Amino acid sequence: MNETEKLDFRSWLLDSIREEYKQWANDREWFEMERNLWADVTIRAIRHIIDGGVLLLATDERRKWFSHYALSRFHYSGVQRPLVPIFGLNHILPPDFVIQKANVSNVLDMLDIAYKDYMFWYIGQTNNHIADLCRTQEYGLFWIMDEGIKGSFYLRANDEFLDYKLIEMLKLFEKAIYASILNRIILE
């Protein structure tokens, strides 16, 4: 590329934004096609909250950022709305605690004592102990990577738009919870 073919930064930025948006816009129909499956796994979690239950959010190591982001959205005090009982599992356990197969029953006993009715909300791959812990319950809100598990919503870990999809799903989940709390939608 010679000097005359170079774009100034602002032109390059605009072209890049438009190209990124085009790619993301073309990929957005995935959610419309998968909305019924997403609704099936989500309705149970919303009902659980409406009925007075707690969601314990956990992720694999690569999606820890999402846990922080989701909790900050639900617990942001600058917005006037009802508080919802969604807590980070990693924040409940001691900082140096490591979940292993040997102590899963102890963790479950502690959660049974601490919470009258809890459900796990797990996001990530299933090749770790936190996923094993979360999958001890028959029902939960599971957004699982690279593995089709009954009762979970399937995502691809190597999807270039995965972060966007997680954020979009979170926004819809959040919106659905508040619409349900305010009795604006009927959960089938």
Side-chain angles (χ1 to χ4, degrees), residues 157-169:
N158 66 351
D159 183 342
E160 68 178 308
F161 298 114
L162 177 61
D163 293 351
Y164 295 115
K165 290 177 180 181
L166 289 172
I167 291 170
E168 185 172 340
M169 289 167 44

Side-chain angles (χ1 to χ4, degrees), residues 16-102:
S16 296
I17 290 169
R18 287 178 177 164
E19 182 60 32
E20 182 73 19
Y21 177 77
K22 253 190 254 179
Q23 288 178 339
W24 172 230
N26 289 338
D27 195 50
R28 290 189 90 174
E29 56 191 46
W30 73 275
F31 205 35
E32 285 184 32
M33 295 185 318
E34 300 294 334
R35 74 183 182 280
N36 289 324
L37 176 59
W38 190 82
D40 290 343
V41 299
T42 304
I43 286 172
R44 188 179 317 118
I46 295 171
R47 267 201 196 107
H48 181 78
I49 291 170
I50 299 296
D51 292 340
V54 172
L55 274 186
L56 298 178
L57 174 58
T59 65
D60 63 7
E61 194 64 34
R62 289 187 64 198
R63 258 82 35 199
K64 273 193 177 178
W65 69 269
F66 181 79
S67 175
H68 295 289
Y69 178 72
L71 293 171
S72 70
R73 286 189 63 91
F74 283 111
H75 299 263
Y76 177 62
S77 63
V79 178
Q80 294 292 342
R81 61 183 181 192
L83 290 174
V84 291
I86 299 176
F87 304 105
L89 182 60
N90 292 344
H91 297 103
I92 295 167
L93 300 172
D96 58 344
F97 187 80
V98 177
I99 296 174
Q100 299 171 341
K101 282 187 179 187

